[in-house]
Amino acid sequence: MTSVSEKAVNGVAWGRHVEIPLDSPGTFELYRKTERGFAAGDVIRITKNRKASKDKSQKRLNNGGLMTIDGFTEDGDLKLSDGQVLAKQWAHFDHGISITSHASQGMTVDRVIVAQSSLSAPASSPEQLYVSASRAKRGMTIYTDRAADLLASVSSQRLSMNASDLVAENSFAATGPMPSRLKQQAERLRLAASRFASRGIDHLKELLIDQHRANEVAR
């Protein structure tokens, strides 16, 4: 950075002068330079939807995707498990040791380790814990500093609404009512999904209660 005004930040990047317009925040992104150590065999997490290079043969890397480092080129670029080469300057990746429940949707692994402290209470819910637990094929272990508080958080149902729920029914008069057959099918799917989720959540509650009781006995 060479200068700052009310409208722009001026600086030098990649050997050329650049001007960042502060009144157009959608035209630029701001990052902080940090250092990370990586080795062959490490799992990395992609943090931006973008191709690794302008080479048309390269596939797009998806935000949240997990890749394994197979090795490195002589220049220090990363050789990924899918055959792509990721330039060390690309920078939109980090260690893939842990991810959020939201980012784990769609994944399946043998075992899940959930770290959910009391600091995560505002974000804890039956739906969130169900997403975490349903990633595992063999088992799940939960680490928390307050089992009773976590149990209370995941026992409270939080109804989420979509845009159509917030619009009055008469707003759809112009398009006409939903056909009864389609409406019945949608309701059956909603009920089936709700029952499936409820069974999983009830099972998780039982596990948390047993864990809490065991901790009380140990004390």
Side-chain angles (χ1 to χ4, degrees):
M1 184 174 65
T2 57
S3 65
V4 179
S5 67
E6 293 182 358
K7 293 185 177 181
V9 173
N10 297 286
V12 177
W14 299 287
R16 62 188 180 89
H17 173 78
V18 293
E19 182 179 272
I20 302 173
L22 298 180
D23 57 350
S24 301
T27 62
F28 64 90
E29 296 174 328
L30 186 63
Y31 297 93
R32 175 180 295 170
K33 186 176 180 180
T34 59
E35 292 187 2
R36 295 283 191 274
F38 296 92
D42 283 355
V43 175
I44 61 173
R45 176 173 55 86
I46 305 300
T47 58
K48 188 175 182 64
N49 292 324
R50 182 176 289 182
K51 285 188 176 182
S53 71
K54 294 182 179 180
D55 187 344
K56 293 183 178 180
S57 64
Q58 293 272 26
K59 298 178 182 178
R60 191 184 83 154
L61 298 171
N62 296 317
N63 184 20
L66 298 177
M67 313 289 289
T68 301
I69 300 176
D70 276 354
F72 300 88
T73 67
E74 292 182 358
D75 295 328
D77 298 334
L78 287 69
K79 296 180 180 179
L80 303 182
S81 53
D82 66 349
Q84 294 196 80
V85 176
L86 192 62
K88 59 184 178 182
Q89 296 90 352
W90 195 70
H92 300 294
F93 62 91
D94 203 346
H95 288 286
I97 299 172
S98 62
I99 57 176
T100 63
S101 295
H102 178 75
S104 72
Q105 294 184 74
M107 298 181 180
T108 302
V109 295
D110 287 337
R111 294 191 61 83
V112 168
I113 297 175
V114 179
Q116 198 157 336
S117 73
S118 53
L119 296 176
S120 302
S124 300
S125 68
E127 296 79 10
Q128 169 270 315
L129 189 57
Y130 176 73
V131 169
S132 299
S134 56
R135 303 309 95 202
K137 292 188 292 185
R138 299 183 181 275
M140 176 186 71
T141 303
I142 301 175
Y143 291 92
T144 182
D145 55 342
R146 295 186 180 181
D149 291 348
L150 177 58
L151 178 60
S153 296
V154 300
S155 298
S156 302
Q157 203 83 26
R158 299 177 186 176
L159 297 179
S160 59
M161 303 178 70
N162 55 36
S164 61
D165 294 327
L166 301 175
V167 179
E169 291 183 3
N170 57 13
S171 298
F172 295 96
T175 58
M178 181 186 292
S180 58
R181 183 177 177 183
L182 180 60
K183 192 172 183 178
Q184 291 172 1
Q185 290 177 342
E187 182 63 15
R188 282 198 294 269
L189 286 172
R190 186 189 69 79
L191 290 174
S194 179
R195 292 193 203 99
F196 179 74
S198 295
R199 286 196 295 268
I201 291 169
D202 288 342
H203 181 58
L204 288 173
K205 288 179 182 177
E206 292 174 2
L207 291 175
L208 285 171
I209 290 172
D210 290 342
Q211 180 181 347
H212 179 59
R213 288 172 178 169
N215 290 339
E216 290 294 324
V217 172
R219 291 176 186 174

